[in-house]
Amino acid sequence: MSECCATSRSHKLDCPYCQQPCSAVGVETLCYHLKQPWQWQANEHVSYYFCDHKDCAVIYFSDKGETWQQAELRTHVGVKQPEPDALVCYCFGVHYAEANVAARDYVIAQTKSGSCACTTHNPSGRCCLKDFPR
Ligand SMILES: [Zn+2]
């Protein structure tokens, strides 16, 4: 599986709800998906994480015990509820119902040419290709 967005954030922390290891996300990712991010004060000494496990209500959490759920986000997080009308690719607006080989090939081509914006647009802060149904 190719990953388009080079990231040094390989650090992981267990989700406080589902206890599964989750990858770190940048503050810029939270700001893009939180409702009213201007009401939120990011702390440079705190690390933030994204939980992509389907049966867990927590979407973002910090190593200081803060959590954010779907109601606190302005983006519907498709990997939590992969319904046909949920987005799998946030850069190019591919819904799960449309996530066929042609759409996937298009996304791969765009990511190779650097035309994606997964770091902010995807709630996980990472490439959507890993989320495409197979
Ligand atoms: Zn979780």
Side-chain angles (χ1 to χ4, degrees):
M1 181 64 60
S2 58
E3 294 263 333
C4 66
C5 302
T7 173
S8 57
R9 297 188 197 106
S10 55
H11 186 57
K12 292 203 169 198
L13 187 72
D14 289 351
C15 170
Y17 274 45
C18 69
Q19 315 296 333
Q20 306 218 51
C22 297
S23 297
V25 292
V27 164
E28 71 275 19
T29 308
L30 268 83
C31 289
Y32 196 90
H33 297 286
L34 292 186
K35 280 179 183 166
Q36 303 186 321
W38 58 92
Q39 305 272 27
W40 175 59
Q41 188 71 50
N43 184 332
E44 61 181 299
H45 304 295
V46 172
S47 297
Y48 300 95
Y49 300 84
F50 174 77
C51 177
D52 63 357
H53 296 101
K54 252 184 228 154
D55 298 322
C56 182
V58 167
I59 292 174
Y60 294 115
F61 61 95
S62 76
D63 59 6
K64 291 283 178 287
E66 300 159 279
T67 59
W68 291 267
Q69 302 191 10
Q70 182 63 68
E72 297 159 282
L73 304 187
R74 56 196 158 106
T75 309
H76 176 84
V77 179
V79 292
K80 290 289 192 182
Q81 290 169 290
E83 292 148 1
D85 62 347
L87 283 174
V88 57
C89 171
Y90 293 79
C91 298
F92 305 106
V94 182
H95 298 90
Y96 275 90
E98 305 165 317
N100 55 22
V101 173
R104 193 168 185 278
D105 286 349
Y106 176 81
V107 173
I108 289 170
Q110 296 302 310
T111 56
K112 278 187 179 148
S113 67
S115 307
C116 64
C118 315
T119 311
T120 48
H121 288 44
N122 193 308
S124 72
R126 296 163 66 207
C127 183
C128 64
L129 287 171
K130 66 183 171 8
D131 301 325
F132 265 68
R134 282 187 260 183

